[in-house]
Amino acid sequence: MPNIATTSRRRDDVLALPIRLDRAIRNQSQQVHSALRAGIVDGLLAPGLRLPSTRGLAEQLGVRRNAIVAAYEALLSDGLVEARHGAGTYVAAALPAPETAAPVAELDIRIPPRRPFALGFTLVDPALLKRLAAASRRRIAQAAPDELGYGDPRGSLHLRNEVAHYLAANRGVRCDPSCILIVSGTQHGLRLCIDALLAPGDAVWFEDPGYVASRHTLSTTVAKLVPVPVDGEGIVVTAGEKADARARAAYVTPSHQFPTGVPMSMARRIALLDWARSAGAYVFEDDYDSEYRFAGPPLTALAGIGGERVIYLGTFGKTLFAGLRLGYLVVPPELVARVVAARAAQDRFPPVFMQEALADLMADGVIAAHMRRMRPRYRQARDVVAEALVKHAKGSLQLSAPAQGLHLLATLPPGAPKGAARLIRERAGIECRLLSDARIVQRGPDGFILGYSGFAAKDLADAARRLGRAAQDVLRDSRPPRG
Amino acid sequence: MPNIATTSRRRDDVLALPIRLDRAIRNQSQQVHSALRAGIVDGLLAPGLRLPSTRGLAEQLGVRRNAIVAAYEALLSDGLVEARHGAGTYVAAALPAPETAAPVAELDIRIPPRRPFALGFTLVDPALLKRLAAASRRRIAQAAPDELGYGDPRGSLHLRNEVAHYLAANRGVRCDPSCILIVSGTQHGLRLCIDALLAPGDAVWFEDPGYVASRHTLSTTVAKLVPVPVDGEGIVVTAGEKADARARAAYVTPSHQFPTGVPMSMARRIALLDWARSAGAYVFEDDYDSEYRFAGPPLTALAGIGGERVIYLGTFGKTLFAGLRLGYLVVPPELVARVVAARAAQDRFPPVFMQEALADLMADGVIAAHMRRMRPRYRQARDVVAEALVKHAKGSLQLSAPAQGLHLLATLPPGAPKGAARLIRERAGIECRLLSDARIVQRGPDGFILGYSGFAAKDLADAARRLGRAAQDVLRDSRPPRG
């Protein structure tokens, strides 16, 4: 039971402060030091107050006198007390005013709840987690001393080799592992590119509509975002040239434009690369969910057909799950040194163990097998949503169900009243991003960006039914009465 | 055995390109697609070339015709081929010129080898790794679906709770876990502070001599570093006020100044906090290795005595090891929202599993026990180095062996010739930072910053002997002959 010194003031040598000693912990001097320090810093023991003699406090607390001597010495080192020769120990006369630490009351940290149609969730096989867990255990338990110190800013060579193989086989991107950086995800990779390659005030083409998180990353770090419209072939390069031909970079999602789902045509790809070459600009290719293509193999990445201006951003956040915090950056050889230097002034290098564990799973074919198992499940999820929307919206929503990816776009018909999308989302009680959230310049009808990965088919069908019905209801209510 | 199509040109329907099919892999259409894509992108199959008929290529490769049809469709989606009605399939006429991916030849990534006296290495108990491995396996295998998606930008609440307890008991810092952010290490934490709290061009006081990596992080992101000299009480606050009283922040190492080892006196702490309050400036307290104090409990942190201007930077890189990539930031409540927003545009949130595993070990007392076991070993390492230097340098080096931390400083006597330190280091064949590396303004004699953690006592003694002798030799050689 903890000993509580009373606040009695019978004699000078009794401390007017309760000190709880936990007898189970051996280091009593440290406990006394902590308690006195807290009392002084809090102002309970006022500047100039004489502390009890070491003998007196030892008796009061029932501990060895040496423990009190050590505690007082530590307070002296801290500068919290002063020893006056022959006169004892006093709380230091000059101390900062005490403060009270307040918790953070109203912090706006919105992590979307796991329900349809939030983006960023995935299905994760318990069997896969088990394999990852075993690989992680093995990698940590068998870590060599050299693996525990500072590492290569690009990350594990083992994982970079596996990523290079994966990209060559699946994305048509051939690169040397020396040009790959392992990062936390696509936003982290984008941020490194910004730090390394752009200066404040540089203009950057941005797909409109486009990916909200990347817009945030770019707009809070680079001064000038140039919205460039997207049509059925992807980013309209001529519009970009008209808006700002001298931009320093373009951020694009060529395999599966976010949120429209359009793949960038070869003509546009060529036009974009031509512009980048002539302007000396960079193309940031965010290839965020190209792995899950439901018809045929994945489209070749832009980095696979004209790499010297293209920085490729990939992630395991969609193939596996976001909480893994692993993605990668493929950088043209002549830019690697600059991106590596930018990392030195940021997070330095990525954590070792999960990289090695993931590389083990890739080398064993476990990740490829996981993707093969997930692909039909995501296709089914897409179909469940699309079918329920078609059935229940009865024409109130237009769908573009893409051949790949983890979300689809449902748009309102032209002429739908302003604010209808927000109202429909509220009535349906669903979680989702609106198309207008992804637009910089507001034009055309609003819509719903519907993430379908990571949820049970039943929940998806239910949410889609509610969305379809709400859309019908809201549009019917808002229709002007026939004249 | 892989099938190799010959380059024979007997008839139109034979492809003039070797295609290796791995029969062990089921998806043959994808293999054909990849091979043709590579051939087109590389320019081996020139724009305008007619591809064999699907039937012809199927025969040539000995696969089902459907596989070839699917491969051609994928190439069509890629935009790499064109179908001309009734006339077959042709390599697209307009394609980017082929490129060759070059490896990165001469990248200057210097990771110090693990030998005395490199900084940043630690001793890691195999038993600790085993515990960490087991906790990691458990946390991954048992992860709930909600733990796999996007997480709190501050990191795991479980770990933040443990860090809050640790800081209260050991560093005199009391804070709510809502004010803690889990980061990759102190440099990462510092970078988040810079992004959140400073504007380009802001002046920042920096200890001179000071910690090289932090100087790099600050100077590559913030325009104006203000070198402020350090004396036996720490940073000279009056000199800082004279140099730039309106600076926006001060970066300090109060518990154990890097590299001098001096703890900041209470008078200086008060002066620094007073300046920060009146200037509205921030104090970045890097508490990088305060855990390992060899005499008495650790000194109270600056954040523990006057927190509202102080941002506290801690790391597990020294208590455990750098490759773990886990550290923390304690932010005054009113600044948390800004730092969290800065993280949204950076690496978003930290990886989940290692945080939970570490928190489990902290809760079980495993980390505290590890620190108790390591403390005498590091003290012994310090003593081995100090004794060997005293013995072999015979007065050619002055030592300041600190009461805490993982390095000591050995300085040359006043009047030692310019360049002597570099020469001595070379002759001794040791790995170490020079004091002049840590100086912004060069003044006073040079010296050696000697990291002693992470190495065997025998290797330390050997390296210290070589350093001591080299110092003696070089200084003797450079002494002017007696007149």
Side-chain angles (χ1 to χ4, degrees):
Chain A
M1 199 196 136
N3 174 335
I4 301 177
T6 65
T7 54
S8 147
R9 288 170 191 267
R10 270 177 303 135
R11 52 181 195 143
D12 185 49
D13 269 346
V14 172
L15 186 72
L17 182 83
I19 294 185
R20 289 169 169 275
L21 290 183
D22 185 346
R23 301 287 165 185
I25 297 172
R26 280 181 308 173
N27 195 331
Q28 299 191 327
S29 75
Q30 195 168 337
Q31 292 185 65
V32 173
H33 173 226
S34 291
L36 290 174
R37 178 170 61 187
I40 295 170
V41 170
D42 284 347
L44 300 174
L45 301 174
L49 182 83
R50 185 177 184 276
L51 291 185
S53 70
T54 51
R55 183 189 307 276
L57 189 56
E59 281 173 12
Q60 179 186 355
L61 297 176
V63 301
R64 286 175 304 106
R65 189 177 165 201
N66 277 353
I68 307 297
V69 171
Y72 279 21
E73 278 169 2
L75 290 169
L76 272 167
S77 294
D78 283 342
L80 292 172
V81 302
E82 295 160 354
R84 299 191 194 154
H85 188 67
T89 304
Y90 293 79
V91 175
L95 281 176
E99 291 179 55
T100 47
V104 178
E106 22 44 274
L107 191 62
D108 180 28
I109 296 181
R110 171 154 168 74
I111 302 162
R114 186 186 184 84
R115 56 194 179 90
F117 298 99
L119 297 165
F121 290 98
T122 54
L123 295 173
V124 185
D125 223 325
L128 178 86
L129 285 181
K130 223 172 146 186
R131 293 291 296 258
L132 189 63
S136 159
R137 190 197 60 71
R138 203 165 47 234
R139 282 291 180 173
I140 298 173
Q142 297 170 3
D146 279 348
E147 293 182 77
L148 305 175
Y150 283 89
D152 191 311
R154 292 171 296 189
S156 147
L157 180 58
H158 181 204
L159 181 56
R160 286 186 283 130
N161 275 324
E162 289 300 326
V163 169
H165 289 144
Y166 169 80
L167 289 175
N170 294 276
R171 311 295 304 114
V173 177
R174 274 151 323 139
C175 60
D176 192 89
S178 63
C179 299
I180 297 177
L181 273 94
I182 304 299
V183 295
S184 294
T186 44
Q187 293 314 299
H188 187 218
L190 177 59
R191 176 56 186 269
L192 282 172
C193 292
I194 294 169
D195 288 354
L197 305 174
L198 301 180
D202 278 357
V204 177
W205 289 5
F206 196 82
E207 294 171 338
D208 185 15
Y211 186 48
V212 183
S214 296
R215 190 173 91 209
H216 177 79
T217 299
L218 281 159
S219 63
T220 55
T221 49
V222 173
K224 201 183 150 206
L225 263 194
V226 180
V228 181
V230 169
D231 66 12
E233 294 190 64
I235 192 167
V236 182
V237 176
T238 50
E241 290 173 320
K242 210 167 149 190
D244 191 344
R246 299 174 63 190
R248 305 306 311 132
Y251 168 88
V252 289
T253 49
S255 303
H256 182 225
Q257 204 273 331
F258 188 94
T260 64
V262 166
M264 195 185 295
S265 71
M266 182 52 79
R268 286 290 164 78
R269 289 171 182 232
I270 290 171
L272 183 63
L273 293 173
D274 282 350
W275 164 76
R277 281 196 199 103
S278 67
Y282 303 108
V283 176
F284 302 145
E285 175 180 27
D286 185 347
D287 204 36
Y288 64 107
D289 69 0
S290 57
E291 291 85 0
Y292 290 115
R293 188 163 167 83
F294 308 127
L299 301 176
T300 294
L302 198 56
I305 61 166
E308 98 274 26
R309 302 305 307 172
V310 182
I311 290 110
Y312 178 93
L313 301 150
T315 181
F316 290 102
K318 306 284 185 283
T319 23
L320 299 173
F321 49 92
L324 187 62
R325 306 313 295 134
L326 285 174
Y328 42 91
L329 207 56
V330 184
V331 180
E334 58 278 17
L335 299 181
V336 173
R338 286 168 70 182
V339 179
V340 162
R343 183 163 221 172
Q346 214 217 55
D347 68 338
R348 302 190 85 166
F349 69 105
V352 285
F353 302 132
M354 287 317 276
Q355 290 187 80
E356 299 296 341
L358 176 58
D360 289 347
L361 264 55
M362 290 180 85
D364 290 349
V366 174
I367 302 301
H370 172 76
M371 284 162 60
R372 277 199 300 277
R373 274 197 310 277
M374 290 301 118
R375 195 173 286 119
R377 293 178 66 181
Y378 290 143
R379 187 179 51 214
Q380 190 212 353
R382 177 197 66 174
D383 294 343
V384 161
V385 174
E387 280 160 26
L389 283 178
V390 166
K391 182 174 168 194
H392 296 287
K394 294 202 203 308
S396 308
L397 293 172
Q398 291 177 339
L399 297 196
S400 60
Q404 71 172 56
L406 306 177
H407 76 269
L408 57 79
L409 185 64
T411 45
L412 292 171
K418 219 178 155 216
R422 208 164 290 273
L423 188 60
I424 292 166
R425 178 174 66 179
E426 199 185 303
R427 283 226 194 147
I430 57 164
E431 184 68 35
C432 84
R433 283 270 192 193
L434 300 183
L435 175 55
S436 51
D437 297 337
R439 285 198 197 284
I440 304 176
V441 180
Q442 296 300 332
R443 60 184 142 202
D446 204 351
F448 308 89
I449 304 170
L450 305 173
Y452 49 72
S453 56
F455 311 111
K458 190 191 137 297
D459 298 337
L460 287 169
D462 183 55
R465 180 182 51 75
R466 281 183 282 130
L467 173 59
R469 290 191 181 166
Q472 240 200 99
D473 291 350
V474 168
L475 292 187
R476 190 196 314 110
D477 294 351
S478 67
R479 212 169 291 147
R482 300 187 185 205
Chain B
M1 197 196 137
N3 174 334
I4 300 176
T6 64
T7 54
S8 147
R9 287 170 192 267
R10 269 176 305 136
R11 50 182 196 145
D12 185 49
D13 269 346
V14 171
L15 186 73
L17 183 82
I19 294 185
R20 290 169 168 274
L21 290 184
D22 184 346
R23 303 285 165 185
I25 296 173
R26 280 182 307 174
N27 195 332
Q28 299 190 327
S29 74
Q30 196 169 335
Q31 292 186 64
V32 173
H33 173 225
S34 292
L36 290 175
R37 178 170 61 187
I40 295 169
V41 169
D42 283 348
L44 300 174
L45 301 174
L49 183 82
R50 185 177 183 275
L51 292 185
S53 70
T54 51
R55 183 190 306 273
L57 189 55
E59 281 172 12
Q60 180 186 354
L61 298 176
V63 300
R64 285 174 305 105
R65 190 177 165 200
N66 277 354
I68 306 298
V69 171
Y72 280 20
E73 279 170 0
L75 291 168
L76 273 167
S77 295
D78 282 343
L80 292 172
V81 302
E82 295 160 356
R84 299 191 194 154
H85 188 68
T89 305
Y90 294 78
V91 175
L95 281 176
E99 291 180 54
T100 46
V104 178
E106 22 44 275
L107 191 62
D108 181 29
I109 296 181
R110 171 155 168 75
I111 302 162
R114 186 185 184 85
R115 57 196 179 89
F117 299 97
L119 297 165
F121 291 98
T122 54
L123 295 173
V124 186
D125 223 325
L128 178 87
L129 284 181
K130 222 172 148 184
R131 293 291 296 256
L132 189 63
S136 159
R137 191 197 59 72
R138 204 166 46 236
R139 282 291 180 173
I140 298 173
Q142 298 171 3
D146 279 349
E147 291 182 78
L148 304 175
Y150 284 88
D152 191 311
R154 291 170 297 189
S156 147
L157 181 57
H158 181 205
L159 181 56
R160 286 186 283 130
N161 276 325
E162 288 299 327
V163 169
H165 288 143
Y166 168 80
L167 289 175
N170 294 276
R171 311 295 303 114
V173 177
R174 275 151 322 139
C175 60
D176 192 87
S178 63
C179 298
I180 296 177
L181 273 93
I182 305 299
V183 295
S184 294
T186 45
Q187 292 313 300
H188 187 216
L190 177 58
R191 176 56 186 269
L192 283 172
C193 292
I194 294 170
D195 288 353
L197 305 174
L198 301 180
D202 278 358
V204 178
W205 290 4
F206 196 82
E207 294 171 338
D208 186 15
Y211 186 49
V212 183
S214 296
R215 190 173 90 208
H216 177 80
T217 298
L218 281 159
S219 63
T220 55
T221 50
V222 173
K224 202 182 150 205
L225 264 193
V226 181
V228 180
V230 168
D231 66 12
E233 293 190 63
I235 192 168
V236 182
V237 177
T238 51
E241 289 174 320
K242 209 168 150 190
D244 191 344
R246 299 174 63 190
R248 307 305 310 133
Y251 168 89
V252 289
T253 48
S255 302
H256 182 224
Q257 204 273 330
F258 187 96
T260 64
V262 165
M264 195 185 295
S265 72
M266 182 52 79
R268 286 291 164 79
R269 290 171 182 233
I270 290 170
L272 183 63
L273 294 173
D274 282 350
W275 164 76
R277 281 195 198 104
S278 68
Y282 303 108
V283 176
F284 302 145
E285 175 180 28
D286 185 346
D287 204 35
Y288 64 106
D289 70 0
S290 58
E291 291 85 359
Y292 290 114
R293 188 163 167 83
F294 308 127
L299 301 176
T300 294
L302 198 56
I305 60 167
E308 97 276 25
R309 303 305 308 172
V310 181
I311 290 109
Y312 178 93
L313 302 149
T315 182
F316 290 103
K318 306 284 185 282
T319 24
L320 300 173
F321 50 93
L324 187 63
R325 308 312 296 133
L326 285 174
Y328 42 91
L329 206 57
V330 184
V331 180
E334 59 279 14
L335 299 180
V336 172
R338 287 168 70 182
V339 179
V340 162
R343 182 164 223 172
Q346 215 218 57
D347 68 337
R348 303 191 84 167
F349 69 105
V352 285
F353 302 131
M354 286 319 275
Q355 291 186 80
E356 299 298 340
L358 175 59
D360 289 347
L361 263 55
M362 290 181 85
D364 289 350
V366 173
I367 302 300
H370 171 76
M371 284 162 60
R372 277 198 301 275
R373 273 198 308 278
M374 290 302 118
R375 194 173 287 118
R377 293 179 65 183
Y378 290 143
R379 186 179 51 215
Q380 189 212 353
R382 177 198 66 175
D383 294 345
V384 161
V385 174
E387 280 161 26
L389 283 178
V390 166
K391 182 173 167 195
H392 296 286
K394 296 201 201 308
S396 309
L397 292 173
Q398 292 178 338
L399 297 196
S400 60
Q404 70 173 57
L406 306 178
H407 75 269
L408 57 79
L409 185 64
T411 44
L412 293 171
K418 218 178 157 220
R422 207 164 290 274
L423 187 61
I424 292 166
R425 179 174 65 179
E426 200 185 302
R427 283 226 193 147
I430 58 164
E431 184 69 35
C432 84
R433 283 271 192 194
L434 299 183
L435 175 55
S436 51
D437 298 337
R439 285 198 197 283
I440 304 176
V441 179
Q442 296 300 334
R443 61 184 141 202
D446 204 351
F448 307 89
I449 304 171
L450 304 173
Y452 49 71
S453 56
F455 312 111
K458 190 190 138 297
D459 298 336
L460 287 169
D462 184 56
R465 181 182 49 75
R466 281 183 283 131
L467 173 60
R469 288 191 181 166
Q472 240 201 102
D473 292 349
V474 168
L475 293 186
R476 189 196 315 111
D477 295 350
S478 67
R479 212 169 292 148
R482 299 189 186 204

